[in-house]
Amino acid sequence: MTILKMILEIKGVVTIKAVIMAGGKGSRLRPLTCDLPKPMVPILNKPTIEYSIELLKKYDIRDIAVTMAYMPSVIIDYFDDGSEFDVNLKYFIEETPLGTGGSVKNADDFLDETFIVISGDALTDINIKEAVAFHRRKKSKATLVLKKESIPLEYGVIITDEDGRIIRFLEKPSWGEVFSDTINTGIYILEPEVLDYFKKGDNFDFSKDLFPRLLKDGIPMYGYVTKDYWNDIGDLNTYKEAQFHFLDGQIDLEIDNKEVNTGIWIEEGTKLGDNITITPPVYIGRNCVINDDTQLGPYAVIGSNCVIDTGATVKRSVVWKNTNIGRNSHCRGTIICNNVLIKDRINALEGSSIGAGTVISNESVIKPNIKIWPDKKIGESIVVNQNLVWGTKASKTIFGNRDISGDINIDITPEFSSRLGSAFASNLQENAILVVSSDHSNSSRVIRNSLITGILSTGKGVINLKDIPMPLNRYAIKHYEADGGIHVRNDYYNENRIHIELLDENGANLDRNKERKIENLFNREDFERCNASKMKSIMDIENFFSFYIKNGTKRLDDISAIKRKNPKLLISSSCKNILDLTIQFLESIGCQVECDYSVNKYDSVDKYLKYISKQVVKNKADMGIIFSQNGENLILVDERGRIIDKEMYTVLSALILLKIGTSKRICVPYTSPKIIESMAKEYEVDVVRSKTSAAHIMNEILSNVDNENDMFLQYILNFDGILASGKIIDFLVQNSVSMGELVDELPDFYFVEKEIKCDWEDKGRVIKEILVEHKNKDIELFEGIKINNEKGWALILPDSERPVFKVYAEGFSEEYAKELSTVFSQKVEDLLGK
């Protein structure tokens, strides 16, 4: 460091350069960004990026590179060389996308000293002087500015040690991977040499590519946790909130306007009529006309050159410049872009947004969360209840842990389903074919048909299996070599609830990356559409179950032996359709089948299991089998009435695989008992552990099993209860053992599972505090936090779909397993109590 720089820093001057990343398209901010790059979206009548420039200038950082990709001329035309804003701007434009790191590397010639990278489309008042001092005090080569966030799923999570040194990165984690509540703000202080890992023109990302390499190579890299304001303005809601935070005084940045009264800012040239009600905070730009009897605020932001006519109200809304709002029109929680004409008696409701140049005629209603693209004309007395056209939705995850679910005609409507079908199909290659099916409920059929409509509108093909269980859809995808599938089912416990599962070309549930792509297409309504000549016919398949049975029986080794043994089975399911199909299959391979239909009489699973256990013994059945509503999972009852469920079934199916002897690797969920490893060691078989979601387990089976027969066997034992029941019977008969004798062979293990309710925002904090407390213990961070010792283990896992923690424990004895469960459950409850 030069003597001059040292003197300047002693005086509080930060002597570094800056890079403002301004290449964002802002797809989630559409229609605001249809004709405007995201950094130029106004906050209190001024482009967002201008606040970044002013923040840098506040700390005497005036040499600034601006990296751009989308509509760069809009930014250049506004700022020119920066002299009008008392800074020196140099522009670097990407011809092709280079990623966050590649865009900064593109400015390599400019970066000859320590520099800060800041986003042009985020709003922050971070104390740069303190952040730079931290960077230099730690002798860091890369310092990431971090911020605490209670629900960090949409951000990159950073884990640091007690000295602030970064030890791990997680990009947009699931709840099972949330080991910290400190997120990456995208503000970095870097030394130029860290960019030497890549060449100019390379496409690379800071978080995914550069920082993990620095971490691997042991380069000093630290996280500076700021308490200052930061908002990445990721969607329409956060865009509004940022302005309201500004008006509330939560942001330490200048408001370029005169505060005429507490919480009321009005620029020069604005004329106010009579009997106006202004409830602070309110911001009004210059040269506006606010006519008589209007109501503004709280939280109203009005751009320059606007007219608000007599009797109109604007509350919790943002209105851009050159916009007219007519007589007795009401804007509540809406965003209105430039040059919009809203005529008389119009209602724009919460979450709506109206693109530039749009004209809305008298007495129309814009329903909540509706997006209207620029330059649309809406006639009189129109209720706009769908996006016009190519609407985007504020970021929302529509997938749960394994499916999309909601109430029929409220969350899951025919319109929603058609859009979902279009989004899924648009993500596939040309001439793709999807297998579509549902259970036999009328509500599921309605949604199935709507999904088919959406798929066909993109020019993709549909194989309609109609009313079949879920396992048959997966089977059909492989048989027909389709590109994916969709199954719809009604929830047994709530007849108004619908579940929609999307499957890939292997019949497995989609991984999270594919889900995100579909969510993005769905939210943007960025669908493919075809003309009539490319629209395909539906291929209707009748009685696919007969084919399924025929091919499934070919997988059994000795049907004649089953017929000679003629095992007696008692079967049950909450779904009559599953029972009817299973009877056909089991009787075709030679079983005596009795059905129990009394499950509907019981208000708890435990009570029913006690009942069915007694019935198996009373009827002298060889085995009881309870099939899940979707036909995928089993609960077994041996001839002595013992229940084989959950982890017991996982251990039992692992034993069957080991005894069959064709598997070199078996795949089990991460939460399964470790006794499986001990069993597998005796057979010289490897155990592959998967994350707990259905998609992860399926994909582990598909990618970690060597041959097709072995893959089929592991798959059906986990996800096809109908064929699994046949294979288990086949195995028992071939080996001349009863289910009870097989259960007797299982080694003793002691396993406890508990569930603890929590608030969503507490999950990240609790996991981080447990991690910090146990950082010197033997822990695993594969999914949740697993704490190991020589006597057992405990796993604390936040649920992905519900506001609960799950605590799993396994010990060398029943008492110790219970003790572990109690200790860590109490730990979670105590932290939640804090």
Side-chain angles (χ1 to χ4, degrees), residues 19-24 38-39 48-53 55-56 66-67 100 116-124 185-188 230-233:
V19 178
I20 298 178
M21 293 190 293
K38 185 180 176 186
T48 306
I49 188 176
E50 192 170 338
Y51 291 103
S52 297
I53 291 173
L55 179 67
L56 294 169
V66 183
T67 65
T100 55
I116 184 170
V117 177
I118 195 167
S119 176
D121 51 31
L123 189 64
T124 182
T185 66
I187 302 172
Y188 313 123
W230 173 82
N231 187 328
D232 77 336
I233 310 181

Side-chain angles (χ1 to χ4, degrees), residues 125 228-229 241 244-253 299:
D125 60 5
D228 298 323
Y229 184 86
E241 286 171 3
F244 301 161
H245 293 162
F246 224 140
L247 296 179
D248 276 337
Q250 295 183 36
I251 309 173
D252 186 20
L253 294 172
Y299 300 104

